[in-house]
Every structure is written in structure tokens, then in C-alpha cells.
Amino acid sequence: MNKESFAALILQAPGQIELQYKERPAPGDRDVLVKVLYCGICGTDRHIYKGSYPATFPVTIGHEFAGIVEEIGQEVSHTKVGDFVSVNPNIWCGRCTSCLEGVPHLCSQMAALGVDLNGGLAAYCTVPEQLVYKMSPATNPAAACLAEPISCVLHGLDRLQVKAGYRGAVFGGGFIGQLMLQIMKLEGASEVILVEPQENKRKAAEKLGFVCIDPISEKHKLAALVDLDVTVDCAGAGDVLSQCAKATKPGGSILLFAAYPKGKQVPIEPFELFRKELKLIGSFTYPDTQVRAIRLIESGQLQLESLLTEITLEEVKDVLEGRLDQQLIKGIVRLS
Ligand SMILES: [Zn+2]
Ligand SMILES: [Zn+2]
């Protein structure tokens, strides 16, 4: 076995991040060793860093990654050395009620790579074979690492059961919000508006052809945003959820997609939900959308490159602490 050492970004405890050099692991019998090409940083990583999302420490963070299979375990049957793969980071127990009832992403024993087990902000990551999805070697690896967040967005929109021609708004123009806008359009929205206070995020969405509202300086436009079939909370802050309720039409749906910090309470007017019979729909990871996410990436139907900024492992801390928020929408790290 090759004992070369490699860099890994390890979170020892909330707020304590360290770049460490580790020995390259050998895959277990049913695992593959992935040489990571790119790994994305997302809001969940920030919550883990701040201690507001449950995780198991110490852990190499990073759950959005793609790479090349470098080595395979003895019982691996469908994956070959050299395959280009993206990873579903979620490991389900297969035995709890959720798993047995066909909603394994709600598994009570869920453990995720980059959250509870070592993830992709490292040159190498050991991944159970059933979690790797083969991709075309022609795919841009920077886009391939986004299979996980795209799968999450597809699952959220599946839960809404939208009909072509619907009107919607996305609150929060981070990377997930920008994906949401694009996929809502692909899924038949006649109009999707972004509500976002930060100028760089509005500009990015405007470049992609979306109409944007600044909720601070354009309060009148926000007040006039009503009767939408669907609103999506991709912000997870302030009174966005109650703004969503006001903007949604009677009988419409609110998709709660943002990961609010655990324990956080926010205002919402129950009368609005009651009188308008609004559906408030949560969405957490995904059971089955990664194949579709990969097809979307490979087809080039999503505008991804303009939203991505390559950062170094050393800069991840700045992203987690919010110091680069005005400059970048989505930070991705090139590992090899
Ligand atoms: Zn993520
Ligand atoms: Zn389970």
C-alpha cells in the first residue's frame, strides 16, 4: 500500500479548523478510494463550523465532491479504478422505519461523509461503493462536484409538485437560490423572481436573466409580490418565512429549503397559513435524484461556471467565517 501523505481539512470541534497531513487510507472491502478533484463549500459546512448543525468531531469536512476512483475494495463489483464519480454523502442504516418505508434520506441513524465521517476536503476520501455515481469523463470536474446540491434542489422541487406555467419566487440568492431559480425555470415556471438583499447575488441572477428585488431598498416591490403559486426560502434568516407566507397565493406552497440553525425560532403568522390553506413543505437531502442531477450537469442546461470561485484549502476558513460573502457565491476547492 502506498503510504504517501496528503492534506485534509479537519474540524476538531466547532470553530477549530486545522490543515493536517494524513496517511493515504486503504479502502474497506466494500469501499472505493476516491482521489478528490473538487469539493464545494456550502451553508451546512458553515453551520457545522459554528456548532449549529449536529456533527461528529473530529471530522474532515466537505460533502460535495467528485473525483477519480484510485483503488477499490475486494468486494467492489460495479466500480472500476479510473472511473470518474460524484458522491452522495449520505449513509442510511437500511433498518429504521424511514428506511423500511422508502424514505431513507430521513433515516434516524443517518451518518454523512463530511459531517460524521471524513469527507471531501482532502486529497483522498474513502466512500462506500453504493454512494458513488459514475459520470462521463468529459464532464467539467468543477461542475461534477455540484451533483449533491443539485440533487437536493431537485428533491425539494419534486416535493412541490409544480405544474408548468406556475409563478414563483426564491428568497435568498446564494448558490442554492441560484440553482433553484434555474431549475424552477427548467421545470416550467412562467416567472421566477429572486428576493435578495446582497447586490453581487442579485447581479449574478440578473446575468442569468432573472428579475430581482432588493427587500431593503425596494420594499414597495416586495409588498407587491403576492399571489405566487410557490415561494422558496433559501435564506434561512430574518423574517423570510413570513415574507414567503405573504407572497404565496391561497392554496399555494412554501418550500422551506434553507437549513436554519438548530434551535432557531422565527416569526410566522399562523392566521396566514390557516386562512390561505398554505402548504409549508420541508426538504432535507434527497433519496433518489442524483441520476437526474448528473444528467442536468452533463447536458450543460445549468449555468454553473459563472457562479463558482476556486479557493484554496487555506481560504476555506474565511468562507466559513463569512469573510468572503461579498465576493463569492460558491467557493469550490481544487484538491488535485
Ligand atoms: Zn451542501
Ligand atoms: Zn435508517
Side-chain angles (χ1 to χ4, degrees):
M1 189 185 71
N2 189 338
K3 290 283 185 186
E4 73 186 79
S5 69
F6 67 96
L9 201 65
I10 294 170
L11 204 53
Q12 293 290 357
Q16 279 181 47
I17 203 158
E18 265 174 35
L19 195 58
Q20 281 185 8
Y21 286 84
K22 310 204 309 181
E23 241 167 44
R24 198 176 95 171
D29 287 349
R30 293 180 185 174
D31 298 336
V32 305
L33 182 69
V34 175
K35 183 173 191 188
V36 181
L37 293 178
Y38 277 96
C39 182
I41 314 294
C42 90
T44 304
D45 296 311
R46 187 174 289 190
H47 284 307
I48 296 169
Y49 181 73
K50 289 183 175 165
S52 53
Y53 188 92
T56 311
F57 302 105
V59 68
T60 300
I61 55 171
H63 56 272
E64 305 175 351
F65 59 103
I68 307 282
V69 173
E70 178 103 349
E71 219 179 306
I72 57 173
Q74 287 178 353
E75 290 174 38
V76 166
S77 53
H78 289 76
T79 311
K80 296 187 302 296
V81 170
D83 282 351
F84 178 45
V85 295
S86 64
V87 174
N88 172 353
N90 302 307
I91 302 173
W92 309 317
C93 79
R95 293 177 300 275
C96 73
T97 309
S98 296
C99 282
L100 295 176
E101 290 190 325
V103 283
H105 61 301
L106 304 179
C107 175
S108 61
Q109 308 295 317
M110 169 103 91
L113 301 174
V115 181
D116 308 292
L117 299 157
N118 289 333
L121 278 174
Y124 292 98
C125 183
T126 306
V127 182
E129 186 196 10
Q130 76 270 18
L131 298 181
V132 297
Y133 287 68
K134 219 177 281 190
M135 295 187 68
S136 157
T139 313
N140 173 2
C145 80
L146 306 169
E148 191 268 352
I150 294 169
S151 303
C152 291
V153 169
L154 286 172
H155 173 64
L157 292 175
D158 285 355
R159 293 196 26 83
L160 282 177
Q161 298 181 309
V162 290
K163 291 179 184 152
Y166 76 100
R167 293 172 66 235
V170 172
F171 290 70
F175 181 65
I176 287 289
Q178 306 272 345
L179 281 179
M180 197 65 81
L181 291 167
Q182 294 187 46
I183 297 177
M184 285 168 83
K185 205 71 205 277
L186 281 176
E187 294 193 347
S190 58
E191 185 184 15
V192 203
I193 291 163
L194 174 67
V195 180
E196 166 58 52
Q198 232 170 274
E199 193 187 1
N200 64 329
K201 293 176 179 170
R202 288 199 308 274
K203 283 230 166 94
E206 279 164 2
K207 260 193 208 152
L208 299 175
F210 294 96
V211 171
C212 302
I213 295 176
D214 175 1
I216 313 291
S217 70
E218 298 178 311
K219 286 203 164 61
H220 57 291
K221 285 193 186 172
L222 182 61
L225 191 66
V226 290
D227 275 333
L228 300 171
D229 300 274
V230 164
T231 52
V232 186
D233 180 355
C234 290
D239 61 348
V240 162
L241 205 51
S242 77
Q243 288 171 14
C244 285
K246 287 196 174 71
T248 308
K249 75 173 192 186
S253 301
I254 304 165
L255 181 65
L256 172 53
F257 197 87
Y260 279 80
K262 196 165 184 281
K264 172 99 179 152
Q265 310 259 333
V266 292
I268 184 156
E269 191 182 329
F271 186 81
E272 195 110 36
L273 298 181
F274 159 74
R275 181 60 183 82
K276 291 188 348 194
E277 281 198 350
L278 299 181
K279 294 182 271 295
L280 177 57
I281 299 174
S283 183
F284 177 68
T285 73
Y286 57 95
D288 55 5
T289 43
Q290 192 147 338
V291 172
R292 284 160 59 206
I294 288 170
R295 285 191 198 129
L296 278 180
I297 294 169
E298 291 179 348
S299 71
Q301 287 179 90
L302 299 174
Q303 301 290 320
L304 300 169
E305 278 80 357
S306 65
L307 303 169
L308 306 177
T309 305
E310 217 171 291
I311 58 165
T312 63
L313 268 181
E314 288 78 9
E315 287 171 317
V316 171
K317 188 175 181 187
D318 293 327
V319 173
L320 296 176
E321 293 185 351
R323 282 194 288 274
L324 300 178
D325 278 5
Q326 303 294 329
Q327 288 109 290
L328 58 83
I329 289 176
K330 176 76 171 177
I332 55 168
V333 182
R334 185 180 185 147
L335 277 307
S336 46

